[in-house]
């Protein structure tokens, strides 16, 4: 049986994604009641972080512990990866010892190279191009609050970054319409947009994206690795704040999300962080549940 990886949302079929989300809801109930079972006793997850993290590390590590397994945090500065050992060699060695590996890194090709040499499932915990674990949690959160997202209208406000690009893939896999409002020069990858023209469009005016939307999502103006561009980005993104004005023209039952960490008064107004339409905190918590379901899927398929 070929090993299954989760490098993008396209690695699972829509039916498989829905199955994972169903299990995620069950894992959430289990967590509420603290009825954990040791379904992955003695299993070890390796966690390679070449960028910072709070949510991803805590959710994967806690998730493995709650399922009876163990998670191993691997920082580049403390491993030979940080001293230039080829990623292919690292993948072969690590996967001969442990059961599943998550990687947070820069270029997407780096995780593809790792996965090509790994004999166990590899999970993308964020690359410059995609953040599928986060959008899986976002989908769980929408479904939990509003039911199916199929046929709904989703607005992305801000940078055409890894989150935005993952939303493009989500639009295809979960069958919704996506309007992306971003400034010129900060668009998502053209090939991704072109491959999904039937459901994805780019507009300049955030109001055009937000009007009638059932879900509005945003993210930081400067992603990890782009911090040095923040002054230029603050100028470019000035009109792209998720705020009450945009919410007022969205659907009356619109939800909004932010994957966090957030910069209040930049991409999102401070008051919106605590608004009743915000599901940001559920979205963060659901990383725990959806990733448990993902790990279960990858270890059993
Ligand atoms: N949303 C997210 O992935 O958060 P961290 O960078 O804290 O893991
Ligand atoms: N786009 C952000 C997401 C952080 C979770 C980044 O890559 O820094």
């Amino acid at each position: 049986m070929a090993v299954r990886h989760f490098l993008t949302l396209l690695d699972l079929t829509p039916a498989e994604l829905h199955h994972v989300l169903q299990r995620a809801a069950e894992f959430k109930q289990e967590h509420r009641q603290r009825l954990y079972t040791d379904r992955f006793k003695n299993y070890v997850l390796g966690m390679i972080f070449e960028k910072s993290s709070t949510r991803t590390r805590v959710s994967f590590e806690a998730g493995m512990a709650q399922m009876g397994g163990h998670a191993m945090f691997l920082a580049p500065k403390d491993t030979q990866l940080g001293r230039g050992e080829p990623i292919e060699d690292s993948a072969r060695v690590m996967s001969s010892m442990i059961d599943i590996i998550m990687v947070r890194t820069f270029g997407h090709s780096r995780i593809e190279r790792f996965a090509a040499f790994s004999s166990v499932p590899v999970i993308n915990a964020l690359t410059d191009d995609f953040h599928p674990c986060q959008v899986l949690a976002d989908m769980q959160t929408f479904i939990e609050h509003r039911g199916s997202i199929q046929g709904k209208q989703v607005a992305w406000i801000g940078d055409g970054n890894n989150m935005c690009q993952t939303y493009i893939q989500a639009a295809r896999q979960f069958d919704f319409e996506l309007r992306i409002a971003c400034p010129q020069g900060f668009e998502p990858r053209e090939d991704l947009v072109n491959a999904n023209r039937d459901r994805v469009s780019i507009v300049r005016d955030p109001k055009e994206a937000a009007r009638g939307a059932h879900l509005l999502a945003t993210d930081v103006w400067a992603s990890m690795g782009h911090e040095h561009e923040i002054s230029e980005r603050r100028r470019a993104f000035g009109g792209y704040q998720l705020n009450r004005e945009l919410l007022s023209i969205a659907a009356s039952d619109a939800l909004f999300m932010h994957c966090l960490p957030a910069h209040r008064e930049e991409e999102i107004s401070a008051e919106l962080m605590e608004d009743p339409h915000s599901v940001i905190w559920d979205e963060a918590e659901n990383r725990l549940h959806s990733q448990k379901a993902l790990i279960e899927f990858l270890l059993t398929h």
Side-chain angles (χ1 to χ4, degrees):
M1 205 167 60
V3 60
R4 299 286 299 267
H5 300 302
F6 186 64
L7 306 191
T8 77
L9 285 177
L10 305 187
D11 285 332
L12 267 63
T13 65
E16 288 171 339
L17 289 168
H18 283 289
H19 166 77
V20 167
L21 292 185
Q22 175 115 30
R23 289 291 293 140
E26 291 165 17
F27 275 110
K28 190 162 189 169
Q29 286 310 313
E30 187 184 279
H31 182 67
R32 289 282 178 276
Q33 296 159 23
R34 300 192 73 79
L35 288 173
Y36 305 125
T37 59
D38 284 351
R39 51 170 62 74
F40 292 117
K41 187 167 161 38
N42 296 330
Y43 280 67
V44 179
L45 166 75
M47 305 192 298
I48 299 173
F49 280 100
E50 297 186 327
K51 291 179 177 173
S52 306
S53 167
T54 296
R55 280 143 289 273
T56 304
R57 177 176 178 181
V58 172
S59 54
F60 271 113
E61 196 163 331
M64 276 311 280
Q66 289 162 2
M67 295 193 292
H70 180 76
M72 185 188 291
F73 178 72
L74 298 159
K77 71 173 172 48
D78 303 323
T79 64
Q80 300 291 5
L81 259 176
R83 296 182 60 249
E85 182 171 12
I87 195 140
E88 292 82 357
D89 294 359
S90 307
R92 280 161 85 160
V93 172
M94 286 181 195
S95 65
S96 72
M97 299 177 186
I98 60 180
D99 305 285
I100 184 161
I101 302 170
M102 60 119 283
V103 182
R104 168 169 285 197
T105 189
F106 291 85
H108 191 71
S109 63
R110 198 162 159 78
I111 198 172
E112 288 176 334
R113 283 166 52 207
F114 189 96
F117 283 82
S118 171
S119 56
V120 302
V122 175
I123 297 173
N124 179 355
L126 183 147
T127 62
D128 290 346
D129 278 356
F130 300 107
H131 195 4
C133 289
Q134 181 64 60
V135 178
L136 199 58
D138 289 17
M139 294 299 103
Q140 179 185 354
T141 308
F142 187 91
I143 292 166
E144 178 180 292
H145 285 269
R146 296 285 184 264
S148 173
I149 196 165
Q150 184 173 28
K152 301 286 187 197
Q153 195 182 306
V154 178
W156 177 265
I157 312 293
D159 194 13
N161 63 11
N162 46 7
M163 277 296 295
C164 174
Q165 294 186 162
T166 310
Y167 261 89
I168 294 176
Q169 296 187 325
R172 171 164 155 189
Q173 297 295 71
F174 291 91
D175 192 16
F176 58 78
E177 195 201 328
L178 176 66
R179 281 194 220 147
I180 299 165
C182 62
Q184 199 130 25
F186 296 93
E187 294 86 359
R189 266 171 41 189
E190 205 176 346
D191 61 314
L192 294 172
V193 178
N194 287 343
N196 296 284
R197 282 254 170 245
D198 53 335
R199 61 187 75 239
V200 175
S201 56
I202 295 188
V203 297
R204 295 295 167 213
D205 182 358
K207 290 202 194 80
E208 205 180 323
R211 196 161 287 117
H214 303 101
L215 168 64
L216 298 92
T218 191
D219 186 13
V220 291
W221 290 341
S223 286
M224 288 180 276
H226 293 273
E227 291 86 349
H228 59 286
E229 300 167 11
I230 189 62
S231 308
E232 175 206 340
R233 284 172 173 263
R234 279 196 184 115
R235 278 192 296 276
F237 286 97
Y240 291 81
Q241 185 186 75
L242 189 49
N243 53 28
R244 212 176 282 295
E245 193 191 350
L246 286 191
L247 198 58
S248 72
I249 57 170
S252 56
D253 64 346
L255 296 176
F256 63 85
M257 298 191 190
H258 188 311
C259 66
L260 303 176
H263 294 81
R264 288 169 174 78
E265 300 307 336
E266 287 194 3
E267 75 277 359
I268 189 162
S269 65
E271 60 174 356
L272 232 57
M273 291 291 293
E274 308 300 336
D275 189 275
H277 290 259
S278 160
V279 286
I280 289 172
W281 310 109
D282 288 337
E283 179 189 4
E285 181 195 321
N286 284 339
R287 294 290 301 278
L288 174 69
H289 314 303
S290 54
Q291 286 162 197
K292 280 183 184 169
L294 176 66
I295 290 168
E296 179 187 64
F297 178 87
L298 294 173
L299 288 176
T300 54
H301 282 77

